[in-house]
C-alpha cells in the first residue's frame, strides 16, 4: 500500500467505517433480513391490509397536500424575506426554523391545543382529531424545508436578469413567470420533496392532533408502533419497508433532479447561508 | 403587491408558528407561576430532565468525534466508495423516527437478534437510538467546511515540522470551529427533542426511562394539561436558544467570507 | 545540503507527471525548475518535499535516502503558491509556528520572530492578521515562516506568481540577496524564464515530466541542448 502524504487515513477511515457499520448499517440491515424471513404471501397480506392501506392513503395524501401548501407559502415567505425590508424581518427569518428546532412532541401538543374545539383557532374551525388536523401538523413541520430550499437560490439570483426582462417590456407577472420561476424550479422541487419525505415519516407532531382512529386518522408510523407493542415484529417490519422504500425513492429522485438542475441552472457559490 | 405579500407571509407565520408557540406558554402559566414551578420540580420531571441531559451528553460527543473522523477521511483522501459512504451517513435523516426505534427493537427486543440484553426498554437503548438519529448532523456541517479549506494549511504545518496531531489541533480544528459548533448545536437540539424513536424503545417506565418529551406525552395523555405544557416550555426554551445561537453563528460565518 | 533525485516517477491516473527524473541540486545553490504548465516542475518540487509520494525512484538529502520519510521530518521550508498562511493566527504566530511545534523556549521564539520580521522588512506587524496584508506582504510572511526553523532546504512553488510585475521584480531581487546571505540550498518553480535566469545559479528546463537540460543560465541560453529548449526560450523572448 502506497504511503499517503497527509496523515490519519487509516485512523479516520477505520473509525468512520466501524461507527457507521455498528450504528447505522447493522440496524438498518435488520429490516432487510427480517423481511427476507417472511413468507411472501404473509408479507403481502400485511402490507395490503385495509388498515394499512388506509394509513398509507392518509400519510401519503396528507403529506402531498401539506407539501403543496408549504410550497406556495414557502415561496411567498422566502420572497418576502429576501426581497423586502420590514421591521421584524430578522425575527421572522429565525422563526422559520422553529418547526425544525422544536421537539415534535411539543409541536404536537401545541398544535392540538390551538386547533382543538377549546383552542384559539379551534373555536372557529376545529381541525383537530381529523385528517385536516394531520395536514395542519405536516404543514408546520415541512415549512422550514420549503423556505430554506428556495431562499438561498433567490438570494443568489442575478437581478440583472429581471432588469433585462423589464427593459424588454415584460410585466412583473410575466417576468416572474418566465424568468424567476424557472430559475427557482429545482429549489422548489427539492423543497417540496424534502417536505413530503419528512411528512411521510412524521410521528410526534401528528400523533396528538390526529386522534389516531384506525381506518380514519391513523398514520402509518403509528400503525407500526402498535404492531411493535403487540410483538408483531414481522408486520411492523413489512410496513416499515413500505415507508422506507417511499422515502428512499423520493430522496433518490431529489438527488437525481438536483443533479440535472445543476446542469441547467448553475447554483452560484450560494453557500452564503450555510 | 408588496404589502399583500408581506401580509400573507406574516399571516401564515402567525397562524402556523407563532400562535402554537404562544399557546404553549399560555397553557403552562394558566394556573399561575407556582403551579408552573411545581410541575417542573416534580420528581418524575426532574428524572426526565436528568435522563435527557445524560443522553445528550453521550450522543453529541460521540457524533462530534465521528463527524471529525468522517469529514477528515472524506475530504482529505481519495478512495473508492466515497459517494456510498456519504449516502450512508445521510441515511438516518431519511429514516422515520418510529422506524429508527423499531430497528433497535428488532436487534435487542424480546424477539430480536440479541434478546435479554437489557438494552431496549432501558437507558442504553435510548442512548443508542438517539445517537443513531443524530449521526448526520455534525458530519454534514464539517464536510463542506473542510472541503472549502483544502489541505494547503495542513500541508504547510507539516512542512514546518508539526506532528499529525499538532497539525490537527492547531490548524485544522481552529479553521472549522464555527461549523463544528453549529453542527454540535443542531445535534444537541435534536438529541434533546427526539420523540418518536425514543418512544418505541423506552418502555415508558416513569422515573426511569422517560425523557422530557416522553414525560410531556404522559402528562398530556393523563389530562394534566397545565403540567404537560409547563414541562414542554423547557424544550421550547432550548429550541429558542438553539435558534438564537444558530443565527449568531450563521451571521459570523457569513462575515468570514 | 545536496539533494539527489534518482529516476523519480509519478503518475496521476493515466497522466505521467514525472517520468524517471534524475537531477542533482548542489549544496548551497539556488536552482530554478523552469517549464510550461504540465511539465511536472511543481510535482517534482512537491515530491522533494514529500507532499507527493512517487511510484518509483529515490530522493536523497545529503546522501541519505528520505523517500520514505514523512513530510514533517524532512526539515524543509516550503513556500506555497497561494502562501497557505494560517488565517486564524497573526503574523507573529505564523512565523513562530515551526519553532513552537518543536517546543522551543518562548524567548528564543520571540527573538527569532523579531529577527525574521526585520529580515523581511515587516517590523512591527507581528500582531496583524494575514487577511489585513497585501499580496507582497503575505508572500514575505510565508517566506519568513518557512525560514524560521532553519531548514536545510528551501522550496518555493511559483513564489511570485500572483503578484503584479513591479512587486515581482522587487521580490525577485530580494530573494537573490536573501540567498546570498543565508546560503540555504533552494529550489524554486517558475514558468517565467526571465525570472529563472535573473535569480538562479542553475536552471533545469522541464517538459512533459522530463528534464530537458540543466545548467547555468549562460549555458542553457547559449547552448540549448534540445529542440524543445530552443523553442521554449525563443518563444518567451
Amino acid at each position: 500500500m502506497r504511503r499517503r502524504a497527509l496523515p490519519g487515513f487509516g485512523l479516520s477511515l477505520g473509525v468512520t467505517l466501524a461507527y457507521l457499520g455498528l450504528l447505522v448499517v447493522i440496524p438498518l440491515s435488520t429490516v432487510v433480513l427480517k423481511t427476507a424471513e417472511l413468507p411472501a404471501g404473509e408479507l403481502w397480506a400485511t402490507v395490503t391490509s385495509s388498515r394499512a392501506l388506509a394509513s398509507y392513503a392518509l400519510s401519503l395524501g396528507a403529506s402531498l397536500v401539506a407539501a403543496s401548501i408549504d410550497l406556495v407559502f414557502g415561496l411567498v415567505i422566502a420572497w418576502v424575506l429576501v426581497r423586502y425590508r420590514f421591521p421584524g424581518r430578522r425575527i421572522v427569518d429565525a422563526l422559520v426554523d422553529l418547526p425544525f428546532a422544536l421537539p415534535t412532541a411539543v409541536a404536537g401538543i401545541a398544535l392540538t391545543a390551538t386547533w382543538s374545539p377549546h383552542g384559539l383557532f379551534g373555536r372557529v374551525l376545529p381541525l383537530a382529531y381529523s385528517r385536516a388536523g394531520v395536514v395542519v401538523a405536516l404543514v408546520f413541520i415541512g415549512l422550514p424545508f420549503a423556505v430554506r430550499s428556495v431562499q438561498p437560490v433567490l438570494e443568489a439570483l442575478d437581478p440583472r436578469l429581471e432588469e433585462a426582462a423589464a427593459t424588454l417590456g415584460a410585466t412583473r407577472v410575466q417576468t416572474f413567470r418566465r424568468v424567476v420561476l424557472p430559475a427557482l424550479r429545482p429549489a422548489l422541487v427539492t423543497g417540496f420533496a424534502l417536505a413530503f419525505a419528512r411528512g411521510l415519516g412524521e410521528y410526534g407532531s401528528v400523533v396528538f392532533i390526529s386522534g389516531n382512529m384506525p381506518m380514519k386518522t391513523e398514520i402509518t408510523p403509528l400503525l407500526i408502533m402498535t404492531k411493535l407493542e403487540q410483538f408483531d415484529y414481522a408486520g411492523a417490519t413489512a410496513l416499515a419497508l413500505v415507508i422506507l422504500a417511499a422515502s428512499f425513492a423520493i430522496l433518490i429522485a431529489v438527488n437525481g433532479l438536483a443533479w440535472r438542475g445543476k446542469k441547467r441552472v448553475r447554483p452560484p457559490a450560494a453557500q452564503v447561508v450555510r | 403587491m408588496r404589502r399583500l405579500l408581506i401580509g400573507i407571509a406574516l399571516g401564515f407565520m402567525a397562524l402556523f408558528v407563532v400562535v402554537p408557540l404562544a399557546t404553549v406558554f399560555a397553557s403552562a402559566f394558566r394556573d399561575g407561576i407556582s403551579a408552573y414551578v411545581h410541575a417542573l420540580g416534580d420528581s418524575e420531571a426532574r428524572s426526565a430532565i436528568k435522563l435527557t441531559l445524560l443522553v445528550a451528553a453521550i450522543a453529541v460527543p460521540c457524533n462530534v468525534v465521528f463527524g471529525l473522523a468522517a469529514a477528515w477521511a472524506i475530504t482529505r483522501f481519495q478512495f473508492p466508495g466515497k459517494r456510498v459512504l456519504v449516502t450512508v451517513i445521510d441515511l438516518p435523516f431519511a429514516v422515520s423516527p418510529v422506524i429508527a426505534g423499531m430497528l433497535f427493537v428488532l436487534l435487542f427486543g424480546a424477539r430480536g437478534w440479541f434478546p435479554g440484553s437489557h438494552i431496549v426498554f432501558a437507558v442504553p437503548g435510548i442512548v443508542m437510538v438517539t445517537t443513531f438519529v443524530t449521526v448526520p448532523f455534525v458530519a454534514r456541517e464539517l464536510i463542506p467546511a473542510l472541503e472549502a479549506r483544502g489541505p494547503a494549511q495542513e500541508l504547510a504545518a507539516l512542512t514546518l515540522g508539526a506532528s499529525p496531531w499538532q497539525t490537527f489541533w492547531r490548524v485544522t480544528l481552529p479553521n472549522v470551529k464555527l461549523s463544528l459548533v453549529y453542527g454540535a448545536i443542531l445535534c444537541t437540539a435534536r438529541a434533546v427533542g427526539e420523540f418518536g424513536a425514543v418512544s418505541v424503545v423506552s418502555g415508558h417506565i416513569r422515573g426511569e426511562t422517560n425523557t422530557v418529551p416522553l414525560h410531556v406525552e404522559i402528562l398530556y395523555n393523563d389530562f394534566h394539561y397545565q403540567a404537560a405544557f409547563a414541562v414542554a416550555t423547557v424544550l421550547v426554551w432550548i429550541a429558542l436558544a438553539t435558534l438564537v445561537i444558530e443565527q449568531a453563528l450563521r451571521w459570523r460565518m457569513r462575515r468570514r467570507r | 545540503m545536496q539533494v539527489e533525485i534518482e529516476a523519480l516517477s509519478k503518475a496521476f491516473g493515466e497522466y505521467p507527471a514525472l517520468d524517471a527524473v534524475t537531477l542533482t541540486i548542489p549544496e548551497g545553490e539556488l536552482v530554478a525548475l523552469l517549464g510550461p504548465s504540465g511539465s511536472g516542475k511543481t510535482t517534482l518540487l512537491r515530491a522533494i518535499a514529500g507532499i507527493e509520494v512517487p511510484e518509483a525512484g529515490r530522493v536523497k538529502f545529503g546522501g541519505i535516502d528520505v523517500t520514505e520519510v514523512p513530510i514533517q521530518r524532512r526539515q524543509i521550508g516550503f513556500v506555497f503558491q497561494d502562501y497557505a498562511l494560517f488565517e486564524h493566527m497573526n503574523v507573529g504566530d505564523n512565523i513562530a509556528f515551526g519553532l513552537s511545534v518543536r517546543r522551543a523556549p518562548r524567548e528564543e521564539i520571540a527573538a527569532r520572530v523579531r529577527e525574521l520580521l526585520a529580515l523581511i522588512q515587516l517590523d512591527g506587524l507581528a500582531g496583524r492578521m494575514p487577511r489585513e496584508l497585501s499580496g507582497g506582504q503575505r508572500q514575505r510572511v510565508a517566506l519568513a515562516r518557512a525560514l524560521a526553523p532553519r531548514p536545510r532546504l528551501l522550496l518555493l512553488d511559483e513564489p511570485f506568481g500572483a503578484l503584479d510585475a513591479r512587486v515581482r521584480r522587487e521580490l525577485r531581487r530580494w530573494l537573490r540577496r536573501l540567498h546570498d546571505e543565508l546560503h540555504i540550498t533552494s529550489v524554486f518553480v517558475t514558468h517565467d524564464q526571465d525570472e529563472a535566469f535573473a535569480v538562479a545559479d542553475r536552471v533545469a528546463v522541464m517538459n512533459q515530466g522530463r528534464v530537458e537540460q540543466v545548467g547555468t543560465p549562460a549555458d542553457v541560453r547559449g547552448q540549448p541542448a534540445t529542440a524543445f529548449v530552443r523553442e521554449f526560450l525563443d518563444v518567451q523572448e
Side-chain angles (χ1 to χ4, degrees):
Chain A
M1 242 249 323
R2 230 182 47 223
R3 189 173 48 83
R4 290 164 199 261
L6 272 177
F9 178 62
L11 183 64
S12 61
L13 191 61
V15 166
T16 305
L17 290 178
Y19 194 83
L20 284 178
L22 287 176
L23 194 59
V24 177
V25 176
I26 291 184
L28 279 173
S29 62
T30 60
V31 174
V32 177
L33 293 174
K34 189 88 189 164
T35 327
E37 259 176 44
L38 301 173
E42 198 183 300
L43 191 64
W44 186 250
T46 310
V47 165
T48 55
S49 76
S50 47
R51 196 169 165 191
L53 289 175
S55 75
Y56 304 153
L58 178 61
S59 286
L60 264 165
S63 300
L64 262 168
V65 174
S68 309
I69 297 178
D70 278 329
L71 188 66
V72 173
F73 287 95
L75 178 57
V76 173
I77 293 174
W79 185 271
V80 164
L81 285 176
V82 172
R83 295 275 166 118
Y84 302 142
R85 295 265 170 285
F86 53 90
R89 191 181 68 99
R90 278 277 205 88
I91 299 180
V92 174
D93 195 16
L95 278 178
V96 165
D97 275 336
L98 185 69
F100 192 69
L102 196 64
T104 51
V106 177
I109 61 176
L111 287 167
T112 313
T114 310
W115 293 93
S116 75
H118 305 295
L120 192 63
F121 294 148
R123 270 173 255 205
V124 175
L125 194 64
L127 293 180
Y129 314 122
S130 71
R131 293 186 188 157
V134 175
V135 173
V136 167
L138 293 181
V139 167
F140 178 87
I141 287 297
L143 183 65
F145 295 101
V147 176
R148 297 299 188 216
S149 292
V150 176
Q151 204 177 357
V153 181
L154 254 182
E155 271 171 9
L157 213 55
D158 191 343
R160 291 178 297 179
L161 294 173
E162 288 162 80
E163 286 164 19
T167 62
L168 291 165
T171 65
R172 296 285 309 267
V173 175
Q174 283 175 319
T175 311
F176 180 75
R177 246 181 5 113
R178 301 179 63 175
V179 176
V180 178
L181 216 47
L184 291 179
R185 203 145 55 119
L188 287 170
V189 172
T190 307
F192 179 87
L194 289 176
F196 180 59
R198 177 71 195 260
L200 275 185
E202 184 55 33
Y203 175 75
S205 45
V206 177
V207 86
F208 293 96
I209 200 174
S210 70
N212 304 322
M213 291 171 282
M215 302 295 288
K216 281 187 60 185
T217 59
E218 185 181 47
I219 49 170
T220 316
L222 181 63
L223 190 49
I224 295 178
M225 175 91 109
T226 311
K227 286 197 177 289
L228 279 174
E229 280 167 2
Q230 294 164 347
F231 293 104
D232 180 8
Y233 288 4
T237 312
L239 290 174
L241 207 61
V242 173
I243 296 194
L244 279 174
S247 310
F248 287 167
I250 296 173
L251 255 118
I252 293 176
V254 168
N255 280 334
L257 276 164
W259 254 83
R260 272 199 294 156
K262 268 187 194 143
K263 277 194 203 153
R264 248 189 317 153
V265 179
R266 307 195 84 237
Q271 320 225 308
V272 178
V273 176
R274 274 295 153 116
Chain B
M1 178 43 100
R2 189 190 117 110
R3 295 262 178 97
L4 179 65
L5 285 180
I6 296 183
I8 293 178
L10 290 182
F12 187 84
M13 289 292 293
L15 200 71
F16 280 93
V17 180
V18 177
V19 169
L21 191 61
T23 311
V24 176
F25 287 101
S27 307
F29 287 101
R30 195 183 57 191
D31 296 337
I33 296 205
S34 61
Y36 177 78
V37 173
H38 182 77
L40 291 181
D42 176 72
S43 71
E44 278 171 17
R46 276 186 298 169
S47 298
I49 293 177
K50 265 193 261 176
L51 180 60
T52 299
L53 288 176
L54 174 70
V55 169
I58 297 178
V60 176
C62 283
N63 283 325
V64 166
V65 170
F66 163 74
L68 283 168
W72 183 258
I74 290 173
T75 61
R76 293 288 182 257
F77 303 106
Q78 293 291 90
F79 54 91
K82 238 201 256 192
R83 277 272 205 90
V84 175
L85 191 58
V86 175
T87 310
V88 172
I89 293 178
D90 268 347
L91 280 181
F93 260 176
V95 174
S96 158
V98 167
I99 297 180
M102 182 195 83
L103 297 176
F104 287 90
V105 170
L106 285 180
L107 270 178
F108 299 114
R111 300 255 198 93
W113 289 2
F114 304 106
S117 49
H118 291 300
I119 291 189
V120 286
F121 312 132
V123 173
I126 298 179
V127 172
M128 267 196 231
V129 93
T130 307
T131 312
F132 172 92
V133 163
T134 52
V135 159
F137 285 100
V138 179
R140 277 170 61 111
E141 294 301 318
L142 285 178
I143 290 176
L146 273 178
E147 191 78 64
R149 293 262 163 209
Q153 290 184 42
E154 281 126 11
L155 286 171
L158 288 170
T159 61
L160 291 164
S163 75
W165 281 114
Q166 280 174 321
T167 307
F168 183 73
W169 280 113
R170 300 183 57 172
V171 178
T172 312
L173 274 186
N175 271 324
V176 294
K177 220 172 24 177
L178 286 180
S179 299
L180 183 61
V181 174
Y182 190 77
I185 298 277
L186 290 180
C187 185
T188 308
R190 181 67 193 267
V192 162
E194 181 49 45
F195 177 65
V198 176
S199 198
V200 171
V201 301
S202 131
H204 301 269
I205 305 172
R206 290 175 196 241
E208 272 186 39
T209 61
N210 276 326
T211 57
V212 175
L214 289 184
H215 190 60
V216 169
E217 181 193 25
I218 289 183
L219 287 171
Y220 188 84
N221 287 339
D222 284 350
F223 305 107
H224 298 315
Y225 294 133
Q226 183 269 331
F229 282 104
V231 177
T233 58
V234 172
L235 295 171
V236 175
W237 287 126
I238 295 178
L240 289 174
T242 307
L243 286 183
V244 169
I245 299 179
E246 277 176 36
Q247 279 287 49
L249 284 173
R250 255 191 262 171
W251 185 70
R252 282 192 67 181
M253 282 198 267
R254 259 196 224 148
R255 263 205 335 173
R256 279 286 201 88
R257 282 163 214 267
Chain C
M1 179 194 70
Q2 176 175 268
V3 177
E4 287 156 82
I5 298 146
E6 292 169 10
L8 211 61
S9 292
K10 168 115 191 136
F12 292 117
E14 296 279 318
Y15 179 69
L18 292 177
D19 189 0
V21 173
T22 297
L23 183 64
T24 299
I25 310 215
E27 163 128 28
E29 281 199 6
L30 177 54
V31 174
L33 298 179
L34 173 68
S37 52
S39 53
K41 53 194 195 295
T42 297
T43 311
L44 181 57
L45 194 77
R46 289 164 67 96
I48 297 174
I51 295 173
E52 299 291 351
V53 178
E55 270 115 39
R58 317 256 103 219
V59 177
K60 291 188 182 158
F61 289 177
I64 301 178
D65 190 343
V66 297
T67 321
E68 299 299 317
V69 174
I71 305 174
Q72 60 270 27
R73 291 210 286 265
R74 293 198 183 193
Q75 295 175 295
I76 53 175
F78 199 105
V79 179
F80 290 79
Q81 191 165 9
D82 55 355
Y83 322 136
L85 294 181
F86 303 133
E87 300 289 333
H88 58 286
M89 296 183 205
N90 64 28
V91 167
D93 290 333
N94 261 277
I95 298 178
F97 189 81
L99 292 167
S100 86
V101 296
R102 265 155 251 237
R103 309 191 197 287
R106 262 199 297 166
E107 301 81 46
E108 187 188 309
I109 297 181
R112 183 85 177 128
V113 170
R114 272 196 303 269
E115 188 188 326
L116 283 158
L117 281 173
L119 188 67
I120 61 173
Q121 289 157 343
L122 288 179
D123 319 64
L125 292 185
R128 293 270 184 92
M129 299 299 286
R131 62 174 174 270
E132 297 168 22
L133 302 176
S134 72
Q137 289 172 320
R138 291 166 67 116
Q139 174 55 281
R140 281 181 276 162
V141 173
L143 195 46
R145 182 178 70 173
L147 290 172
R150 297 191 173 81
R152 43 188 188 158
L153 176 64
L154 184 62
L155 303 168
L156 306 104
D157 185 1
E158 308 246 17
F160 311 127
L163 305 169
D164 65 53
R166 194 181 57 90
V167 178
R168 243 210 310 265
R169 276 194 300 270
E170 249 178 66
L171 284 179
R172 219 191 268 175
R173 281 192 290 265
W174 182 78
L175 179 64
R176 182 70 233 181
R177 265 182 296 138
L178 195 66
H179 177 82
D180 290 334
E181 242 185 81
L182 301 176
H183 293 300
I184 304 181
T185 311
S186 308
V187 185
F188 77 99
V189 159
T190 181
H191 57 269
D192 180 343
Q193 64 167 313
D194 292 326
E195 192 164 281
F197 291 135
V199 178
D201 295 319
R202 200 174 295 264
V203 175
V205 181
M206 290 187 69
N207 178 39
Q208 292 187 337
R210 278 184 291 264
V211 176
E212 300 266 340
Q213 183 175 6
V214 185
T216 66
D219 286 342
V220 175
R221 249 209 298 246
Q223 289 149 338
T226 69
F228 171 80
V229 176
R230 211 183 348 259
E231 265 183 52
F232 182 68
L233 298 185
D234 269 342
V235 169
Q236 289 243 359
E237 214 61 67

